[in-house]
Amino acid sequence: MIKRVRSWLNQENSQQTHQLSPDNIPEHVAIIMDGNGRWAKRRGMPRIVGHQNGMKAVKRTAIAANDLGIKVLTMYAFSTENWTRPKDEVDFLMKLPQEFLAIELEELIEKNVQVRMMGHPEDLPSHTLSAMEEAVAKTAGNNGLILNFALNYGSRKEITESVKTLGQEVRDGILRPEDITEELISQRLLTGELPDPDLLIRTSGELRLSNFMLWQLAYSELWFTDVYWPEFTKDHLVEAIANYQQRTRRYGGLS
Ligand code: FPP
């Protein structure tokens, strides 16, 4: 894999790409894709045009992540709070996964990508859920990039549900309270066996987590950019990773 990444890096002309060390590519990158609405508004267009262009950035970024040898890319596509937006916008956002997959699934399969979904499926419209489930099933045998869509995802709800599950297991006598460890809590979250994100990217200049992966981001490196999500390109991903590679991760210890 390192050899493949090295050869891809060599083909790239951007100065920044050359600066990347193929031995220190983050295993899991999580992205809060923000700024679709502002991007559209700035151009005098309706917000949904921003989301439509945001979908193109999803494709660019997934392909770039795959080429770079990132193992997991988690993308915050719809939060448990986004239902409060106007119905037209919610309906549009709920159609995007099936549109995206209708256009891109073939190429994702070819590139060995595994599509996953992380969120609460019960509230999703059936057309959204069935498109996602089909993509997950069709790519389940692949072993390349895990492209993990956070869809109807909210971290506090996720943590609450995992606490309920553990409580039930204690009540059923499967677990004792003293058996509950950080690892066990991690396993009961929607990320399951996935590694915690090494790097979190948020676009559009907002500096907050917005109920995204609150447990899993405990020791992640954070990178914020003013760029609106529809403008995000491979170069921005490379810039974020170059910045990540300059950090010393201490996990509360000393370097
Ligand atoms: C935040 O920008 C973005 C969203 C709530 C939706 C993100 C969705 C996509 C990028 C497309 C998803 C595509 C697939 C394939 C699932 P915002 O609308 O809050 O922007 P604003 O802060 O400028 O208003």
Side-chain angles (χ1 to χ4, degrees):
M1 170 57 83
I2 287 179
K3 216 164 152 195
R4 187 165 71 81
V5 172
R6 215 182 282 279
S7 110
W8 183 80
L9 293 178
N10 284 339
Q11 289 163 22
E12 292 293 303
N13 342 322
S14 117
Q15 187 61 28
Q16 273 220 302
T17 308
H18 281 300
Q19 287 167 9
L20 285 191
S21 155
D23 310 326
N24 186 21
I25 299 291
E27 194 178 6
H28 185 172
V29 175
I31 307 187
I32 301 177
M33 308 181 282
D34 196 11
N36 292 350
R38 278 166 285 164
W39 180 87
K41 198 173 164 204
R42 196 173 263 189
R43 284 161 180 75
M45 294 186 289
R47 293 175 55 79
I48 56 169
V49 179
H51 297 314
Q52 188 77 38
N53 282 275
M55 187 180 83
K56 293 179 190 160
V58 169
K59 157 77 184 298
R60 283 196 297 274
T61 308
I63 298 299
N66 193 40
D67 288 341
L68 279 166
I70 290 167
K71 299 255 170 35
V72 187
L73 179 66
T74 297
M75 310 190 97
Y76 204 6
F78 194 89
S79 78
T80 45
E81 289 73 37
N82 286 152
W83 297 107
T84 58
R85 294 188 177 207
K87 185 176 180 312
D88 283 359
E89 184 171 341
V90 170
D91 289 348
F92 189 85
L93 283 168
M94 284 297 141
K95 282 190 194 130
L96 279 185
Q98 69 199 96
E99 187 181 334
F100 173 79
L101 292 165
I103 302 168
E104 310 297 353
L105 186 57
E106 209 170 307
E107 187 178 341
L108 294 175
I109 292 172
E110 235 168 67
K111 292 199 182 285
N112 203 19
V113 170
Q114 310 171 61
V115 177
R116 303 255 182 102
M117 197 195 107
M118 173 176 89
H120 303 282
E122 60 278 5
D123 308 318
L124 293 173
S126 58
H127 62 87
T128 312
L129 187 57
S130 58
M132 286 305 304
E133 284 177 345
E134 187 188 331
V136 170
K138 282 191 172 159
T139 59
N142 292 352
N143 59 10
L145 173 77
I146 295 175
L147 178 55
N148 186 30
F149 287 106
L151 207 51
N152 193 26
Y153 174 86
S155 187
R156 286 186 169 189
K157 185 171 162 82
E158 172 191 39
I159 292 170
T160 306
E161 293 303 320
S162 84
V163 170
K164 279 191 206 162
T165 307
L166 288 168
Q168 189 64 48
E169 290 175 24
V170 170
R171 190 157 73 184
D172 295 345
I174 301 166
L175 274 183
R176 294 166 303 167
E178 57 271 31
D179 295 331
I180 299 174
T181 58
E182 291 186 13
E183 288 68 33
L184 201 61
I185 294 174
S186 292
Q187 283 167 19
R188 295 297 184 276
L189 297 175
L190 294 170
T191 31
E193 300 296 331
L194 291 179
D196 288 340
D198 301 291
L199 173 64
L200 170 82
I201 296 172
R202 181 170 189 151
T203 58
S204 92
E206 305 293 354
L207 306 178
R208 53 178 174 261
L209 293 180
S210 301
N211 201 15
F212 186 53
M213 302 184 89
L214 302 179
W215 174 278
Q216 297 91 334
L217 291 172
Y219 285 104
S220 308
E221 297 297 324
L222 312 181
W223 190 79
F224 297 97
T225 174
D226 287 340
V227 166
Y228 292 143
W229 176 250
E231 293 165 334
F232 194 86
T233 64
K234 181 177 69 189
D235 285 346
H236 297 114
L237 181 64
V238 168
E239 189 185 340
I241 295 173
N243 186 285
Y244 165 86
Q245 292 189 339
Q246 287 163 14
R247 315 252 184 115
T248 306
R249 301 184 74 186
R250 291 194 295 271
Y251 301 94
L254 300 177
S255 50

